[in-house]
Amino acid sequence: MVWTRSIAFLSFSLLFIHIGAVSVSRILLLGDLQVSLLVHTSHLLYLCFFQIKRLAKGNARDTDLEQKDISEINLAAGLDLFQGDILLPPKSRNGLRDPTYRWKFPIPYILADNLELNAKAAILHAFEMFHLKSCVEFKPYAGESSYIIFQQFSGCWSQVGDLHVGQNLSIGLGCDYKAIIEHEILHALGFYHEQSRTDRDDYVNIWWEEIIPGYEHNFNTYDDTFITDLNTPYDYESLMHYAPFSFNKNESVPTITAKIPEFDAILGQRLDFSAIDLERLNRMYNCTSTHTLLDHCAFEKTNICGMIQGTRDDADWAHRDSDQPGQTDHTLGGRCTGAGYFMHFNTSSGAAEEAALLESRILYPKRKQQCLQFFYRITGSPSDRLTVWVRRDDSTGSVRKLVRMKTFQGDSDHRWKIAHVTLKEEKKFRYLFQGTRGDPQNSAGGIYLDDVTLTETPCPTGVWTIQNISQFLQSAAQGDRLHSPRFYNSEGYAFGVTVYPRGRVTSVDPEHVGLAFHLCSGENDAILEWPVMNRQAIMTILEQEADVRHRMSLSLMFTTSESHTSPAINGSVIWDRPSKVGTYDQDCDCFRSLDWGWGQAISHQMLRKRSFLKNDDLVIFVDFEDITHLRRTEVPTTGRRHSPQGLILHDRESRASGEGSGRAAFNEALPGDLAAGRQKRSVENTGPLEDHNWPQYFRDPCDPNPCQNKGLCVNVKGTASCRCVSGHAFFYTGERCQAMQVHGRVLGLIIGGTAGAIFMTFVLGSIIFQRSRQ
């Protein structure tokens, strides 16, 4: 018994010795790392607390997305770039001043596979805006020496101008919005920020005392030797302008305001290109036409855009203005005397079934799909009709073959309506509008046509017009919502849009409209795949400018993911079959899923300032498309590439480091030997790392490498930070990785093994001693 107790006591003692040895060894060995471990542990506890707190708020708020501005995203990523989001090479080149750094079109591009799937599709959507509104063109990379590779580093940033090698453009987390991507591409095309103009102080106030200390350089202006305004006026609406609260130290106090207060609401808009943005772009690159706009007519000129009256019909369309009561155009809404024209076909006289034909000029398509968009109203008999035809090349060179596309019938709603007709023309053609009198005896009006646009882009899948929107904006309570009709995409999935006129219940500002997407049950659900993944939902609040090139519409998009779950449906994916996870809505006789989107998408002030509420209608487009094919888009490259120091390239890591610095220099490297992953020469005797007095932006604190023992140097906010090598048995510590240490578990095993050997020696000795006494 005594022997047994002794063995038990020694075993427990050995156990505590082993635990103590491991603990003490770790305390002794970690040294300075112990502090970082404590900090890391505290950070993990904070993240856990934050996650619990977020979940405690309830599921409804988990579906709220927020569009942050570029400066906010980059500050959160620890970046301090030139002008907030520009990565400059060691010798800055001005894309505006030096023609040799202007791109030749089309610009080759690569979508790196470290990009989020939604970001890839958003980049392609931004390309289409350039194709529609300018002569800028993009094409997939095919071995060219100059190209842009879009990657997910930390933050949103770009380089300026064509550097004549492969160059990076970062679309980091939170940057995957059309307007942000357009902003960064404009930098790549050679443009700086609007508020850096020489004459900036004539138009805006900079509140220097409200800027975060150390970030004042972002508000510098530059003379005409550095940038040029291309002889255009200061543009408060520019996509390249800072937002009012950029780099502010007090979240409720702006750093920049307009000297004309009316422009404060649109300063730093992230909708789309402004008219002056496009004017500068087209001047810089000598643009005379766009790539996907085939035709546009607001009928403001007497030549009616080259359209002709039919010669084999019974009557003609009339070119009218808005002077007569009740006959206002769509373009100007009757606001201007002597302006505001439209085409009109009177259906209150003549014989039934008489027709008038209005034909476009001959058009020459480049793509195989077009979208004809126009506004119309029918104020006569319900039997009046507006029919869209196409006159095609009959393969003899003559445009004469007629094909009917779509007919719009009169009804009791005499308001302006938006219409879309999909065309699939590959040869030269005309489009035609045929007005037909249905019942002249019971007609007191006619057919009106205005603001016709033909683009070589797909038509929207769903179009929802909310009439009398002003009353909803005024009378709705916070949290009230409107559901769209049910739409179907080409795959057969049914879906809809939810609008919150004054935001969600928990929205901070009720003077914003919320916008969200949801699935609906439909007739095809039994054969479709559930949950539906990798589909991008695109919702666009249309600005109803007549000229599509000047529309600053709001487009928001996200991609369905398995991470979109909700406690309200027991943690299920909200993109599962709506009849399973949704709730029944008697208005559509269908189930609607939980919605996902933005609680505050656009302000009421912005809606009223621009042309979003023309004729008191809010028009929303919605699409839902499979983008699974974009999961693998990256291709191998040849030649040189500029590599931003301190930002880990996707070739070395599957994701951006999160510790990249904007004060990064450049290295020219071959793709197989990227600068971000290359070992630099070492410096043994240097002062403290934080004492380096490197000039801002242009020098690299990691060159020469201050880290010893093969430590990797990373540029963190302009300061060198060593990442020390760690093996199975040994690791390195210290500011420069100068001290070699033994892993605690190894030392613990050594001490434990030694103690075990002593114990076994003691046991064997005791046994031998007892036997010798016997």
Side-chain angles (χ1 to χ4, degrees), residues 492-506:
Y493 287 101
F495 54 89
V497 176
T498 309
V499 165
Y500 295 85
R502 299 183 66 81
R504 295 188 190 267
V505 174
T506 56

Side-chain angles (χ1 to χ4, degrees), residues 236-252:
Y236 293 105
E237 298 183 341
S238 174
L239 186 62
M240 305 305 289
H241 205 294
Y242 276 1
F245 295 90
S246 299
F247 303 102
N248 60 327
K249 61 185 180 184
N250 185 331
E251 64 178 13
S252 61

Side-chain angles (χ1 to χ4, degrees), residues 529-548:
E529 295 181 359
W530 302 102
V532 53
M533 296 289 105
N534 299 330
R535 269 62 173 184
Q536 187 179 57
I538 304 177
M539 296 172 288
T540 300
I541 299 180
L542 180 71
E543 192 196 11
Q544 299 176 57
E545 279 290 328
D547 191 337
V548 66

